[in-house]
Amino acid sequence: DLIASGGLADTAIGVGVDEELISAVPSHNRTFVSRNFTENEVSYCQTQPSPASSFAARWAGKEAVFKALGVKSKGAAASMKDIEIVNDAETGAPTVVLHGDAKAKADEKGISKVLISLSHSETVAIAFAQASKAA
Amino acid sequence: DLIASGGLADTAIGVGVDEELISAVPSHNRTFVSRNFTENEVSYCQTQPSPASSFAARWAGKEAVFKALGVKSKGAAASMKDIEIVNDAETGAPTVVLHGDAKAKADEKGISKVLISLSHSETVAIAFAQASKAA
Amino acid sequence: DLIASGGLADTAIGVGVDEELISAVPSHNRTFVSRNFTENEVSYCQTQPSPASSFAARWAGKEAVFKALGVKSKGAAASMKDIEIVNDAETGAPTVVLHGDAKAKADEKGISKVLISLSHSETVAIAFAQASKAA
């Protein structure tokens, strides 16, 4: 059957896109950063060529994931930390890890996978996320 | 079986992305607005903090949906109204409702679902859409 | 069963988004163009209203496909040519054709379909790609 033939089919149930001016994400503000980014995220962004761009891209990514999950984000509140975007050790690709309320909401909706991609130019960061459930 | 286990799998058959300069969407022009946006869309956009941004984001959304459906839009013609983007009463998330020729084309292709997400910065609106059919 | 009911379900395994400043893609440089774009792509872009915008959108598209495939691009190296973006004869929609290393990598991962969409404003090109495998 389908499962035996190579894996479980899944179905996209939400998508999210977000764009942010890099200058509008106050990544120089340590309180803002520690409230909204995990230690892993902070370590990663601080070692990138342009930390401000990396923080802005991750911020856009978190907003895109909230949209894909179909839940409202709480802006600058602590829950942005519930969406963690880490980099795959092998490919370097950004990967979503959910925690806390975001994970609970995803579980409730049967969401089994969240794909993400990030990009930025010199001034603008954009992100796309897609949430799927097993069919 | 698969259906009993939680729903019908579906398959993405088209995606669409679009970006628009907010200043390039003439949302102050009442003829343009009434030809291209439904009454629901107009009511929604006019009550948002930045109506011009909301109209531009919906315009980008309509273009993205046309691309995801694999049909050409007719630019500023009436058919942009066939793609209506309303907001879910519960979550506030944008949701696509198809009418007229757009619905006929989607039905012909077996498209059962169109997901959408919108975003804008101060100057640019972007949208992403994904069209799926039941597998 | 599911296959008989209308086709094989598939599952998105990667997404990619990319944005590029049009002015940052040196499409006036013939060596750059011939190393990174196929003859079909060059012919298409050169006949568009704004060749620079079309080259930049395709460049963004190639980057987005690499992200969706989960492989790193080689920047300005020849392998960008492995991702060819042609236009569907009927609808005009951009379509991805993989060659060389990119095709080998996709085959290895079981990727059976890559969807793409491109857009540009006056200054910025963006692209979205989604890679799926048969479930």
Side-chain angles (χ1 to χ4, degrees), chain A residues 86-100:
Chain A
V86 298
N87 288 73
D88 184 83
E90 189 188 346
T91 65
T95 307
V96 177
V97 183
L98 302 179
H99 306 279

Side-chain angles (χ1 to χ4, degrees), chain A residues 58 85-88 91-96 114-118, chain C residues 67:
Chain A
R58 267 172 168 64
I85 302 174
V86 298
N87 288 73
D88 184 83
T91 65
T95 307
V96 177
V114 182
L115 298 174
I116 194 157
S117 184
L118 311 176
Chain C
K67 292 178 182 181

Side-chain angles (χ1 to χ4, degrees), chain B residues 133-135, chain C residues 1-8:
Chain B
K133 61 187 284 187
Chain C
D1 64 4
L2 201 74
I3 293 169
S5 74
L8 196 58

